[in-house]
Amino acid sequence: MHAPASRPPIIYLDNNATTRIAPEVFEAMVPFLTENYGNPSSAYSFGKRVEGHLKEAREKVASLLGCTPKEIIFTSCGTESDNAAIWSALQTTGKKHIVTTQVEHSAIMNQTDWLEKNGYGVTRLPVAADGTLSLADVEKAIRDDTAIVSIMWANNETGVLFPVEEIASLCKKRGVLFHTDAVQTPGKIDLRHVVQSDIDLLSMSGHKLHAPKGVGVLYAKKRTKLVPFVIGGGQERGKRGGTENVASIVGLGRAAELAIGRLSDEQTRVRALRDRFENALLERLPNLYINGKRDQRLPNTANIAFDFVEAEAILMMLDRSGICASSGSACTTGSLDPSHVLSAMGLTPARARSCVRFSFSHYNTDADIDHALQVIPPMIEQLRAMSPLNADHPDNFNYDIEAAREKEEKLMAQTMAAINE
Ligand SMILES: *Cc1c(COP(=O)(O)O)cnc(C)c1O
């Protein structure tokens, strides 16, 4: 039996993966997890009174986008909202081609992969080295049989923003539906002009804005034809079956309200935390690169290449200091597949595997950054000193990837063994 190891306090720098539930959100939810358990569809007042709270939450979420409550459909998550948007467009248009990008979240990427295997056409637009997208490429990709263009607003790995409002206008001119995965945006950039844009469909997710996991939003602009993806009862005005996740929806309403109130904190204080973190690391360590166009990013995201080191080793050592961050890729531990986003930006596999994403929130403090800045530089120096990659870095695309992988797997094992000594 081991004595319980004393754990350092958690410094949470992974807010693009999920966020803490705001205490105000939790408080708003409690009555609906306890005494207020009625079904909003019931005829008696015990249910009806829940319906009133749903209505209020819908209004609050609508104000995030400046839209009407009727344009808000609650779903079970961001993934469902993404899947539902694409699915509906294919059904309502009868067309079989989708335009998207090479850097989408797996919700869109894996759905479009599936569709492609099942007879649909998919065009995946490339991005530039700084992660940006060309409007001309979007225009060229649209065909007569294009059902929908789906392009994320902000990239979850790099924070890079795409000009989705311009893209939406272009799509409207061409008579094509436009969807954006905006899961990473609420509370970070102002979305209150969405209703004035030509965006037809937009996805959000509760747990990325300090509401619970397992609740999402699909915005569907007035008069956008929509068929349900989840078919069942007449909930959500027939657009999404299934009894409403009342407590989480109420929580999301409160979170939307907080997000609007905290926009300026995010764009000033949180941005300053992120910038101080990046600049201090760049000053302190050589061979560091910031991924993504620096002035066209979310204010809270830093994606950094630590050349000559494996991100997985960095993450393991950070974990021991109680610091939560993540590697660019959504890969499972031990897999050496580089992130599809960083690969699309042209990073070499070796560099892509050295990248760590730090994402901040309203709940991060200057002390968090101070602590991280104390821990990270010596850690990187130590890992670099142990890394033979330092000597012969395969910094181009022309090397034998299989041989490199084998070598790196061995290396990784050695590094891990050294860490665990
Ligand atoms: C987290 C995330 C999703 C998925 O949302 P879930 O609610 O976890 O299904 C989709 N897109 C982006 C960009 C995300 O960051």
Side-chain angles (χ1 to χ4, degrees):
M1 289 284 284
H2 290 283
S6 77
R7 285 177 199 281
I10 292 294
I11 296 188
Y12 191 73
L13 307 181
D14 202 15
N15 287 279
N16 287 8
T18 196
T19 58
R20 147 197 299 263
I21 293 182
E24 297 90 334
V25 167
F26 176 72
E27 210 175 296
M29 290 173 66
V30 171
F32 303 93
L33 295 167
T34 50
E35 70 272 16
N36 232 340
Y37 55 83
N39 187 323
S41 299
S42 296
Y44 38 79
S45 57
F46 180 63
K48 280 269 172 288
R49 109 177 152 222
V50 173
E51 199 190 2
H53 290 275
L54 275 186
K55 181 166 174 280
E56 207 178 296
R58 200 181 302 279
E59 285 162 6
K60 287 174 180 169
V61 172
S63 58
L64 205 51
L65 305 178
C67 68
T68 62
K70 282 184 181 172
E71 295 171 295
I72 297 295
I73 298 152
F74 290 115
T75 66
S76 70
C77 58
T79 301
E80 185 195 320
S81 301
D82 283 348
N83 284 192
I86 304 270
W87 177 251
S88 175
L90 296 173
Q91 303 311 309
T92 58
T93 64
K95 295 181 176 181
K96 300 200 109 186
H97 176 244
I98 301 145
V99 176
T100 183
T101 76
Q102 294 178 0
V103 298
E104 297 297 312
H105 185 272
S106 51
I108 292 289
M109 195 174 58
N110 290 341
Q111 183 190 22
T112 49
D113 279 355
W114 185 91
L115 288 166
E116 197 171 33
K117 286 192 195 100
N118 286 274
Y120 292 84
V122 179
T123 302
R124 295 181 186 79
L125 300 169
V127 294
D130 62 2
T132 57
L133 189 71
S134 143
L135 223 55
D137 283 353
V138 180
E139 181 137 43
K140 269 185 277 172
I142 297 174
R143 314 193 309 214
D144 289 342
D145 65 335
T146 303
I148 189 166
V149 174
S150 176
I151 292 178
M152 70 201 317
W153 197 319
N155 189 275
N156 46 303
E157 291 189 24
T158 59
V160 169
L161 297 162
F162 288 150
V164 290
E165 285 159 300
E166 284 173 64
I167 297 170
S169 300
L170 196 149
C171 290
K172 189 181 182 190
K173 255 186 251 148
R174 300 286 301 267
V176 177
L177 284 168
F178 180 71
H179 165 256
T180 185
D181 175 339
V183 169
Q184 287 295 340
T185 59
K188 301 175 190 170
I189 59 174
D190 196 345
L191 301 172
R192 283 173 288 186
H193 42 81
V194 159
V195 73
Q196 280 123 39
S197 76
D198 294 318
I199 294 169
D200 300 299
L201 298 154
L202 175 149
S203 308
M204 297 190 288
S205 170
H207 74 106
K208 304 291 172 77
L209 68 142
H210 305 290
K213 296 160 187 63
V215 62
V217 172
L218 179 61
Y219 157 82
K221 194 179 185 64
K222 201 164 33 182
R223 286 191 282 276
T224 304
K225 273 192 212 150
L226 199 74
V227 295
F229 183 63
V230 175
I231 301 171
Q235 293 92 351
E236 299 300 293
R237 305 171 73 239
K239 299 292 163 54
R240 199 274 182 185
T243 302
E244 300 86 345
N245 181 352
V246 175
S248 293
I249 290 170
V250 168
L252 182 50
R254 187 74 183 97
E257 219 170 25
L258 293 173
I260 294 170
R262 290 172 180 174
L263 258 176
S264 71
D265 176 63
E266 189 84 20
Q267 292 184 347
T268 55
R269 192 189 61 89
V270 176
R271 183 191 294 278
L273 289 181
R274 190 272 311 266
D275 290 348
R276 177 161 81 84
F277 178 75
E278 284 183 345
N279 291 331
L281 288 179
L282 284 171
E283 219 166 89
R284 180 78 169 69
L285 292 163
N287 301 308
L288 233 66
Y289 302 90
I290 308 291
N291 295 311
K293 192 170 184 186
R294 287 189 81 172
D295 59 0
Q296 197 181 311
R297 290 182 300 162
L298 291 172
N300 80 316
T301 309
N303 189 306
I304 304 175
F306 296 91
D307 266 8
F308 316 132
V309 199
E310 288 288 346
E312 294 308 315
I314 301 174
L315 295 179
M316 273 189 67
M317 286 185 80
L318 285 175
D319 188 31
R320 299 178 151 201
S321 301
I323 299 174
C324 305
S326 64
S327 57
S329 60
C331 69
T332 50
T333 314
S335 155
L336 289 174
D337 283 344
S339 141
H340 70 285
V341 174
L342 301 175
S343 298
M345 289 162 67
L347 272 74
T348 62
R351 179 168 291 166
R353 282 196 295 273
S354 80
C355 296
V356 177
R357 176 190 70 189
F358 302 89
S359 44
F360 307 95
S361 86
H362 176 73
Y363 294 100
N364 288 121
T365 61
D366 266 307
D368 291 345
I369 304 301
D370 291 340
H371 183 74
L373 286 174
Q374 248 169 21
V375 168
I376 296 170
M379 169 188 301
I380 298 298
E381 278 161 2
Q382 188 190 343
L383 287 169
R384 280 182 175 169
M386 290 192 294
S387 168
L389 272 185
N390 219 343
D392 60 333
H393 191 45
D395 204 2
N396 62 65
F397 278 120
N398 300 323
Y399 73 101
D400 179 347
I401 185 163
E402 285 316 315
R405 256 191 202 166
E406 215 170 280
K407 188 173 154 196
E408 293 208 17
E409 247 155 55
K410 240 190 273 166
L411 241 163
M412 178 97 136
Q414 280 169 15
T415 309
M416 295 305 174
I419 293 170
N420 287 322
E421 246 170 35

